[in-house]
Amino acid sequence: MITIHYFAGIKELTGKAQETLQFAGQTVDQLRKELAGKYPGMDENSVQVAVNEEYALPDDVLSEGDVVALIPPVSGG
């Protein structure tokens, strides 16, 4: 199991702050695609992913117990 934390607009889109999924052994990119299918409106290409508090690459493989954060694009001024 991995734990996924949702922030800002993604939290509003999913209706939850976090959830757990059986996704160990799959890649970050596969996770983004899975979640984009599960939550219509989530743009998988604009979401940043952090695994265990470090930004992750699309080909990084998730492990049992990982904590994943999905971070939407932010703008500043």
Side-chain angles (χ1 to χ4, degrees):
M1 296 289 270
I2 63 168
T3 302
I4 305 169
H5 293 272
Y6 301 110
F7 294 96
I10 298 174
K11 179 179 174 181
E12 293 173 18
L13 178 72
T14 63
K16 56 185 96 175
Q18 72 178 40
E19 70 178 310
T20 56
L21 292 177
Q22 288 280 50
F23 225 80
Q26 298 186 57
T27 67
V28 168
D29 193 49
Q30 289 172 311
L31 176 64
R32 284 198 297 203
K33 288 178 181 176
E34 174 76 17
L35 293 174
K38 183 175 180 178
Y39 300 110
M42 182 184 294
D43 181 1
E44 67 183 86
N45 297 315
S46 66
V47 173
Q48 290 290 322
V49 179
V51 177
N52 301 324
E53 299 183 9
E54 293 187 18
Y55 282 107
L57 298 172
D59 292 336
D60 287 349
V61 176
L62 298 165
S63 298
E64 188 72 25
D66 279 348
V67 176
V68 176
L70 293 183
I71 306 161
V74 293
S75 61

